[in-house]
Every structure is written in C-alpha cells, then in structure tokens.
Amino acid sequence: MSEGAGKAQEKRKIQAIKGVRDILPPETALWNRVEQTAHEVFATYGFGEIRLPIFEATELFARSIGTETDVVSKEMYSFKDLPTRNELALELWDRSVQFTPSGDFQSDEEKQLFEERKKGELLTLRPEATASVCRAYIEHGMHTLPGNVKLYYMGPMFRRERPQKGRYRQFYQIGAEVLSHTGDLKDDARVDAEVIEMLTTFFEKAGLEGTALYLNSIGCKECRPKYVELLRAALTKVKDKLGPDSQRRIETNPLRVLDSKLESEQAIIEKLPRIAEHLCPDCLEEYTEVKKQLAMRGISYAQNFRLVRGLDYYMRTTFEITAPGLGSQNAVCGGGRYDGLVELLGGPPTKGIGFAIGTDRVILSLQDMRKLPVERALDVYVAWMGEKNYPAAVKIARRLREAGLAVELPPGEMKFGKALGLADKLGARYALIIGDDEVATKQFTVKRLEDGEQKKLSERELVEHLKAGEAP
Ligand code: HAM
C-alpha cells in the first residue's frame, strides 16, 4: 500500500457495524426507567439479579437451544479462542508433564490432551441467557438452596439476523427464570401463572399499552413426537400448495410451518391439527390449570396454537407478548417452560420456566406511544468570569451538586452575554454569576432565566433558594 493510500485509509470514518447501534441520551433515560421498573417489580416477586458472562462455550448453546434451530445453525457469533505458546507451556508446567529425553510426551494421554488444547476453545457471544442461567445454577450448586431459585438478568444478546426495525444483531433482553425440583403439575401451573402475572405487572408499570398475551402448550417428549407425526402427515397431503420453505420443513421440522408468515399458506395452516388437542393427560392437566390460574388472577390471554417458539428446550407452557407500533417484529417477550434443560446440561433433574423481554422493542413501542420520560433539566449554569475566580466557581458548583442540583460549569471563561446565551440554549433554569464583585463580597447573583428575576445571595442562601425553585 502506498503511503498516500495508507493515510487515506487512516482517515476513513469508522462506523458501528451493521445491525448494531448506539443508544444515546435522552433515549437512555427511557432505558434506565424501563430497567429500573424491572428491578423493582421483579424484587417484589422475590427474584434476585444474576450477572452472567457475555460469552460462553459454544457447546452450551448448541446443546440447550438445539443444533437444528436457526439461532444455533445460522445466527451465532462464534470464534476460536486459541491459547498462546506461553499459556500452553505454563499449563504443561502446572501439571508437571514429563518428557522423554528426545522431547516427546511420556504419556499418550498427555499428548492427546495437549493436541486438544492446542486447537483452542470454541466460544460464542450469548444469543440468549436461559442456557447461561442453567449453567450457573449447576456450577454453583443452587439446587441446594431453599425454595425455588428465582433469578433475573438484563443485558445484550447477539444474533446474526437480518437487521430491520426492532431486529438487531446486538439487542437487549430483560429475562427471568424460576428453577425448582419440587412440586406437582398443579404447583408448576401456579408458578407459570405467577411468572406471567409478574410480566403483566412489569408492562403495566413500564407504561406499555395495548399488549396482548398469547398462550400455548407444546406438550412434552411423550405427546409432541406423536403430534409432529400427525402434523407431518397432514402437511404431506397439502404439500403442493405450500411454498418451498414449508415443503422442506415437512421433513426437517414440521412445527416451524406453523410459524410461516406466507400469505398463501395462512388458510392451510388454520386447518392443520392443533397440538392442544393432542396433549397427553399430564400436559393437558397442566395447560388447563395454567389457564385457570391466569383467569383467577384476572389476566386475559388468547390461545395461539401456532406459538411453537424457535428454541428446542421448551415443553408444555409457551407464551409470547406482543405490543403495538412495531410492525412485523411485534413480540416484546417470549418464554416458556423448560423442564429437563438443567439435566441435559449435566445437572440434577430440575424444572424451569422463564421469559425474556426484548428491551429494544419495549422502548420502540413506548416511543411510538410518546411515553417519554421527563428529561432532567439543568438547574444551574455557572457563568464565571475572570481566571482567578475559577476556584470559587468550582467550589460552589461542587456544593450545589452535593445538594442534588444539576450544574453545568464551563471549563473555559466566556463573555457574559455568550455564557447567558448558552445557559438558555441548554435549558438551564438559573444562571449563577461569579465575577470579581461576587467573590469579594461573597454575595452571588442568581438570575432566573424564565423571567430574568435577579437576586444577590450568600452561598448558604443560594443552595436553599435554588433547591426551593427545583422542578418537582
Ligand atoms: P426469544 O423469543 O428468542 O426467547 O427472545 C425473547 C425476546 O427477545 C423476543 O420476544 C424479542 O422481543 C427479543 N429479541 C429476540 N431477537 C431479537 C433481535 N434480533 N432484535 C431485537 N429483539 C430481539 C429467548 O431468548 C428465551 N431465552 C426466553 C426464555 C427465557 N425462555 C425461557 N426463559
């Protein structure tokens, strides 16, 4: 590369990568409010926050979400974490590995282990967090804790999907999980309903309107395979009326045909057998009880036999919540029951139920409804003049901030008119003038920008006066 070309490249603007975005103020205030609502509501239901790693062993997601799912087969950001030569050498040293005089491994086992380590570990940016919660549950022996284990989390997830409104490659979730190893079907149904009740409380407190809850049961490993065969047979009969994707799915995953948005397939899908009519007695009992529990709690829902969810770990109860103003990506929350997932990951037999809210979509819907938070206004703009008065300005600004006021202290000296103009543009309520006279007499001039009213006050009076005039 020529020097000129190198320089040109150096100057090229670097932008955020596709599907990834910055969230800026004042929008961040809305994010904070939504997240704070989750902290508060979830705490009232006895949930504790878990902070999880952003990346995990790829195998964790492959095993829990399922290798055939879109998430695992197409959408994960995975990379090889190769050890350096030094790290490898240190590992051998730590294990006191013995070598022959010619430099070969003394044991074949050690040699094999070394070859494996050299290949590096395959890691993945988490596409969701249920798998991580289960991993952490096992790793920390949480099954020994008293009662059900109730955890929630919030943070970024990563899926290489086609970006569009409400669909990003780095997106945010607020999720919660309940893990338990006791209780019967009736207890499970009550836990399901309480989790959904917590969700509806959250959406209500967050101010989201027009949400709809959709419910389904997708059966268990007893009844689902039988239903899938039934569905496959029904689909085979109408195969030539289906599009190429659905035709392929008849073989690979017939349940996914129910997900199809293709206009020409809608009437056909309506007539397909529905899983809720083919549940085994236990699944039927739980589903019936969940609906009873929701009704008892006054939570309205619609049954949706097409709600199969895209992740393999689900069984029995599944649900989704939609919100207005989002176009085609209108699911703001998805969840369901996943008994057996902990066991699949090497833990004890455990039941699980949980959900994840798509925070980006909640924010979009709130913005669409114009439910924006009241922005924190700037209380005081410090217009200081004369270099030697800067230390006095710093001292007063700190005192006002300690009193909880929002203060802007410009780092450089400005002409009086320019300082007041900027105070106005920044939306400050007051301008505090600090010049030679003020510092000498310890009487500071405060100007209310709304009407120009001016007062001379001592430092102590200043705090009281400004606090009294604070916006509610
Ligand atoms: P999920 O349905 O894959 O479930 O995702 C939950 C929610 O995350 C979706 O309803 C949507 O609001 C949001 N979401 C998903 N992908 C994107 C994206 N690319 N851009 C923006 N938002 C997105 C799960 O992740 C499960 N772990 C939920 C769960 C927890 N089930 C049991 N426990």
Side-chain angles (χ1 to χ4, degrees):
M1 198 191 301
S2 75
E3 204 185 312
K7 279 253 158 64
Q9 201 156 46
E10 258 172 44
K11 287 197 176 151
R12 195 171 48 99
K13 261 197 295 179
I14 300 176
Q15 290 184 312
I17 51 179
K18 197 176 168 192
V20 163
R21 64 208 181 109
D22 303 303
I23 298 158
L24 308 172
E27 191 182 308
T28 33
L30 187 54
W31 282 74
N32 285 333
R33 197 187 74 192
V34 167
E35 289 176 352
Q36 189 53 31
T37 306
H39 286 297
E40 285 165 15
V41 172
F42 296 178
T44 64
Y45 281 82
F47 283 69
E49 185 183 2
I50 181 167
R51 297 203 178 192
L52 297 157
I54 301 279
F55 55 92
E56 299 262 12
T58 303
E59 198 197 339
L60 172 68
F61 303 114
R63 241 204 276 168
S64 21
I65 301 169
T67 44
E68 296 301 313
T69 58
D70 281 355
V71 171
V72 172
S73 67
K74 301 188 210 151
E75 298 168 1
M76 295 207 303
Y77 285 98
S78 300
F79 59 98
K80 258 284 168 61
D81 191 16
L82 289 173
T84 62
R85 288 167 72 99
N86 257 351
E87 282 166 348
L88 286 171
L90 275 173
E91 281 176 29
L92 294 177
W93 175 267
D94 280 348
R95 288 204 301 275
S96 312
V97 174
Q98 304 291 310
F99 294 93
T100 63
S102 59
D104 275 337
F105 283 91
Q106 261 187 2
S107 94
D108 284 348
E109 224 172 274
E110 273 300 345
K111 184 172 179 176
Q112 224 174 356
L113 193 67
F114 180 75
E115 290 304 324
E116 273 307 306
R117 280 294 293 126
K118 227 169 60 179
K119 284 191 217 149
E121 257 180 303
L122 194 55
L123 305 181
T124 293
L125 298 186
R126 61 182 189 189
E128 60 106 52
T130 309
S132 302
V133 170
C134 292
R135 192 233 353 105
Y137 177 85
I138 300 168
E139 203 167 317
H140 302 283
M142 290 193 229
H143 62 282
T144 58
L145 295 174
N148 289 349
V149 174
K150 304 199 231 174
L151 299 166
Y152 75 93
Y153 51 85
M154 48 185 82
M157 309 290 156
F158 306 84
R159 294 184 195 174
R160 202 175 186 291
E161 293 193 84
R162 198 167 47 76
Q164 65 178 92
K165 182 183 170 191
R167 198 207 269 152
Y168 310 101
R169 290 181 169 181
Q170 174 174 337
F171 61 98
Y172 294 78
Q173 284 188 342
I174 300 174
E177 317 287 348
V178 182
L179 295 148
S180 64
H181 51 270
T182 54
D184 56 18
L185 285 174
K186 207 167 177 173
D187 298 351
D188 295 348
R190 288 176 177 170
V191 176
D192 293 3
E194 190 175 80
V195 162
I196 294 174
E197 179 192 300
M198 178 167 93
L199 259 174
T200 53
T201 309
F202 164 77
F203 282 124
E204 210 178 283
K205 295 248 155 90
L208 206 68
E209 286 163 14
T211 55
L213 167 66
Y214 296 97
L215 190 69
N216 194 18
S217 170
I218 56 163
C220 64
K221 53 181 185 299
E222 295 302 317
C223 52
R224 193 170 38 211
K226 290 182 200 149
Y227 166 73
V228 169
E229 276 326 305
L230 208 72
L231 184 63
R232 186 174 275 135
L235 286 169
T236 309
K237 280 192 204 142
V238 291
K239 187 172 177 180
D240 35 330
K241 296 198 190 98
L242 299 172
D245 279 346
S246 293
Q247 287 197 0
R248 209 180 43 250
R249 285 181 177 142
I250 297 180
E251 284 317 310
T252 57
N253 190 353
L255 284 175
R256 288 292 312 280
V257 177
L258 300 175
D259 256 353
S260 161
K261 305 250 169 4
L262 210 66
E263 200 45 56
S264 60
E265 294 179 348
Q266 302 308 305
I268 302 167
I269 293 172
E270 275 306 308
K271 291 196 203 104
L272 291 171
R274 302 178 174 204
I275 189 155
E277 285 149 25
H278 298 275
L279 295 174
C280 64
D282 279 357
C283 289
L284 185 63
E285 184 189 332
E286 211 229 344
Y287 192 36
T288 311
E289 191 59 32
V290 171
K291 289 187 277 184
K292 227 160 84 184
Q293 286 294 321
L294 289 175
M296 190 260 275
R297 289 167 159 82
I299 297 169
S300 42
Y301 61 88
Q303 294 186 71
N304 181 356
F305 76 99
R306 296 175 59 168
L307 188 67
V308 289
R309 313 271 302 126
L311 318 171
D312 276 3
Y313 52 62
Y314 289 115
M315 52 103 65
R316 294 196 180 140
T317 313
T318 52
F319 55 90
E320 238 167 55
I321 296 178
T322 60
L326 292 169
S328 64
Q329 303 303 311
N330 65 349
V332 285
C333 174
R337 181 160 278 283
Y338 51 87
D339 299 358
L341 175 56
V342 168
E343 212 172 344
L344 185 77
L345 295 172
T350 309
K351 301 186 212 185
I353 166 88
F355 62 79
I357 296 160
T359 320
D360 306 76
R361 296 184 188 174
V362 171
I363 300 291
L364 280 172
S365 189
L366 287 170
Q367 286 171 329
D368 187 69
M369 288 167 10
R370 306 247 150 263
K371 290 238 172 152
L372 307 175
V374 183
E375 253 185 85
R376 168 89 211 235
L378 181 61
D379 295 310
V380 186
Y381 185 90
V382 183
W384 61 276
M385 271 142 285
E387 273 300 320
K388 66 176 188 308
N389 298 320
Y390 183 62
V394 168
K395 185 171 155 258
I396 292 189
R398 183 186 285 182
R399 177 142 185 213
L400 298 179
R401 284 168 176 154
E402 272 167 10
L405 293 156
V407 177
E408 183 65 22
L409 174 69
E413 193 180 357
M414 249 182 265
K415 291 233 162 58
F416 187 66
K418 195 170 166 207
L420 284 193
L422 189 54
D424 207 36
K425 278 196 201 129
L426 291 174
R429 291 188 303 113
Y430 292 98
L432 171 64
I433 297 142
I434 302 182
D436 292 343
D437 279 357
E438 283 79 6
V439 173
T441 60
K442 295 199 174 10
Q443 290 288 308
F444 301 93
T445 310
V446 184
K447 185 179 166 101
R448 190 158 67 194
L449 293 172
E450 191 184 32
D451 54 9
E453 184 205 72
Q454 244 171 256
K455 275 202 165 102
K456 280 223 169 217
L457 301 166
S458 71
E459 202 175 313
R460 194 178 48 76
E461 289 166 335
L462 204 62
V463 177
E464 273 167 30
H465 178 71
L466 295 171
K467 286 289 284 180
E470 228 177 342

